[in-house]
């Protein structure tokens, strides 16, 4: 029997962060035995904001190397670059013709990101949820692993799927469901713990990049914002402390309560130093393996070629089906 299909991707707008790793890639590894997984580097989403072409290409390879180094297995999962599969933009155009302005106006990510885009806001930044819907619908995806902030995109995809099936029949596209991941679903910025850790944050000192050295990681955790108290506890009014506990919990699998009780009588300084050590222990082998892949472009290109072939195989069938349904002559 065919396994249920999972699809996920990361924008290579910069080198990946601890947030991307704990919120996405680490979970991808756990999902790959139970599901048939399509994991992408979504370079077409990345150009909705300004990119340096040389950096974009490097960041795309870095993302893919990180997936592999973290344990995503190219023998069981399909790893590919979005722009290698032209069906994504083919379906995105169709969805542009079936999505509504009102739906896109409600997307909170557009509101957030357009504020930092100056006055020339790219049209793609407004319509990219439809490209994301195309990404999902192309593979007859059952489940999309998402953090809280991405739930809205899956909801939009479900609405559009229902609309298409209503117009053209139930077999037009498959309606996906969000798959909300556990602890680590939201890693916060170390300097502004009320905001999620982001690749493109203005101040890089609040973000742990997977390419950071151990020393850089230690320094960033040392400077992490906590609060004026001293006692380690897990509560809504101690966002900085809570974030460090969540990071430890996502890596070690220990519950926040267990972690808090191990800090009885200790200060914030201990929590910061030990969180940095736990993060470094997790990331050091991934960092080394990522480097190894990047130094062997032949192997990486081979994996990407095979991944794209598998992805195109599925995507071309879906696009042909939808082309027929909407009335294109093929
Ligand atoms: N801080 C985070 N905590 C948990 N999960 C996170 N993800 C991203 N940041 C965190 C998860 O990573 C996947 C892909 O995200 P993305 O990089 O494509 O887009 P994003 O969520 O908009 O991340 P950034 O870093 O803030 O993007 P930029 O700076 O490029 O705009 C998703 O599964 C997401 O939940």
């Amino acid at each position: 029997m065919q396994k249920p299909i999972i699809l996920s991707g990361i924008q290579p707008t910069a080198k990946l962060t601890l947030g991307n790793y704990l919120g996405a890639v680490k979970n991808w590894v756990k999902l790959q035995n139970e599901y048939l997984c399509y994991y992408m580097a979504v370079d077409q989403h990345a150009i909705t904001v300004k990119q340096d072409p040389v950096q974009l290409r490097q960041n795309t390879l870095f993302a893919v190397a990180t997936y592999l180094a973290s344990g995503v297995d190219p023998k069981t999962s399909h790893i590919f670059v979005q722009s290698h599969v032209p069906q994504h933009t083919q379906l995105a155009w169709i969805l542009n013709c079936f999505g509504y302005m009102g739906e896109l106006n409600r997307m909170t990510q557009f509101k957030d990101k357009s504020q930092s885009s100056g006055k020339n806001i790219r049209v793609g930044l407004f319509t990219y949820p439809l490209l994301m819907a195309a990404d999902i619908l192309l593979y007859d995806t059952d489940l999309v692993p998402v953090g809280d902030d991405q739930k809205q995109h899956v909801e939009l995809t479900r609405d559009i799927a229902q609309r298409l099936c209503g117009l053209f029949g139930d077999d037009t596209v498959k309606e996906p469901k969000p798959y909300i991941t556990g602890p680590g679903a939201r890693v916060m910025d170390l300097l502004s713990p009320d905001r999620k850790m982001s690749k493109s944050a203005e101040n890089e000192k609040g973000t742990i990049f997977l390419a950071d050295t151990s020393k850089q990681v230690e320094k960033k955790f040392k400077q992490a914002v906590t609060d004026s108290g001293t006692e380690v506890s897990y509560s809504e009014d101690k966002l900085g402390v809570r974030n460090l506990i969540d990071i430890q919990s996502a890596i070690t699998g220990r519950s926040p309560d267990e972690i808090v009780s191990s800090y009885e009588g200790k200060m914030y300084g201990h929590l910061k130093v030990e969180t940095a050590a736990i993060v470094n222990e997790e990331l050091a082998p991934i960092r080394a393996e990522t480097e190894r892949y990047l130094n062997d472009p032949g192997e990486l290109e081979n994996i990407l070629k095979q991944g794209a072939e598998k992805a195109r195989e599925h995507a071309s069938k879906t696009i042909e089906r939808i082309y027929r349904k909407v009335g294109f002559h093929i």
Side-chain angles (χ1 to χ4, degrees):
M1 217 175 70
Q2 147 104 43
K3 292 178 182 171
I5 295 176
I6 286 235
L7 173 123
S8 195
I10 296 179
Q11 307 185 65
T13 41
K15 299 271 173 3
L16 305 198
T17 70
L18 181 66
N20 294 129
Y21 174 69
L22 293 179
V25 184
K26 193 172 164 68
N27 291 312
W28 292 359
V29 177
K30 293 184 200 148
L31 296 169
Q32 59 187 346
N33 290 328
E34 213 178 314
Y35 300 94
L36 172 59
C37 300
Y38 288 84
Y39 294 136
M40 315 172 283
V42 286
D43 52 349
Q44 290 170 323
H45 284 286
I47 61 163
T48 53
V49 294
K50 192 166 172 233
Q51 295 298 328
D52 173 284
V54 174
Q55 291 280 328
L56 176 59
R57 235 184 313 275
Q58 283 175 1
N59 292 338
T60 301
L61 288 180
F62 183 89
V64 173
T66 304
Y67 302 170
L68 294 163
S70 305
V72 177
D73 181 355
K75 290 196 198 75
T76 45
S77 299
H78 304 318
I79 302 171
F80 63 100
V81 175
Q82 185 186 30
S83 63
H84 292 179
V85 184
Q87 287 82 1
H88 288 257
T89 44
Q90 287 178 288
L91 183 55
W93 175 250
I94 294 178
L95 300 189
N96 264 264
C97 300
F98 287 89
Y100 299 146
M101 294 290 288
E103 287 172 324
L104 295 182
N105 269 327
R106 288 195 288 276
M107 303 307 278
T108 51
Q109 283 218 346
F110 173 72
K111 289 180 200 155
D112 296 346
K113 290 200 173 172
S114 57
Q115 274 168 8
S116 51
S117 291
K119 64 179 189 317
N120 290 326
I121 300 166
R122 299 173 186 214
V123 178
L125 192 60
F126 184 66
T127 58
Y128 86 87
L130 296 171
L131 177 59
M132 203 181 269
D135 300 338
I136 298 168
L137 297 179
L138 263 186
Y139 299 99
D140 300 300
T141 304
D142 294 283
L143 293 166
V144 187
V146 284
D148 277 351
D149 54 324
Q150 301 273 350
K151 242 183 357 200
Q152 212 187 10
H153 291 117
V154 183
E155 287 309 320
L156 174 73
T157 307
R158 285 167 60 80
D159 290 344
I160 291 181
Q162 284 166 14
R163 188 169 310 146
L164 291 177
C165 289
L167 287 166
F168 304 117
D170 286 347
D171 59 339
T172 308
V173 287
K174 183 167 222 173
E175 201 179 313
K177 290 200 177 80
Y179 181 100
I180 306 288
T181 45
R186 206 163 163 82
V187 178
M188 309 309 280
D189 188 280
L190 297 183
L191 295 182
S192 310
D194 55 336
R195 276 205 325 250
K196 78 164 186 160
M197 186 179 282
S198 184
K199 281 183 239 93
S200 41
E202 254 167 52
N203 189 347
E204 293 196 346
K205 290 182 183 159
T207 301
I208 301 290
F209 289 97
L210 300 184
D212 283 347
T213 61
S214 299
K215 282 263 166 294
Q216 285 171 315
V217 170
E218 279 167 20
K219 193 164 171 204
K220 286 180 179 176
F221 274 106
K222 229 174 237 166
Q223 292 171 344
V225 165
T226 42
D227 57 65
S228 54
T230 49
E231 191 196 336
V232 175
S233 67
Y234 190 74
S235 70
E236 287 294 342
D237 59 350
K238 287 178 178 256
L239 291 179
V241 173
R242 197 185 156 101
N243 189 32
L244 301 186
I245 296 170
D246 279 337
I247 291 171
Q248 282 203 18
S249 172
I251 294 175
T252 62
R254 292 162 78 208
S255 73
D257 283 349
E258 260 178 88
I259 295 169
V260 168
S261 53
S262 70
Y263 283 99
E264 233 177 82
K266 293 188 186 165
M267 316 283 273
Y268 288 163
H270 292 107
L271 177 69
K272 291 183 183 184
V273 168
E274 281 169 26
T275 309
I278 288 169
V279 168
N280 271 329
E281 199 182 322
E282 177 87 358
L283 296 188
I286 296 174
R287 207 180 291 138
E289 192 60 4
T290 304
E291 276 303 309
R292 192 189 68 73
Y293 275 109
L294 291 173
N295 289 330
D296 185 358
E299 186 182 359
L300 210 52
E301 295 297 343
N302 237 344
I303 290 170
L304 285 180
K305 191 163 165 270
Q306 283 169 21
E309 272 165 18
K310 283 287 175 195
R312 282 196 295 261
E313 206 176 282
H314 194 134
S316 59
K317 287 187 193 135
T318 310
I319 206 78
E320 192 181 315
R321 185 174 78 230
I322 297 175
Y323 269 24
R324 279 186 208 284
K325 293 277 188 181
V326 300
F328 290 168
H329 177 77
I330 50 168

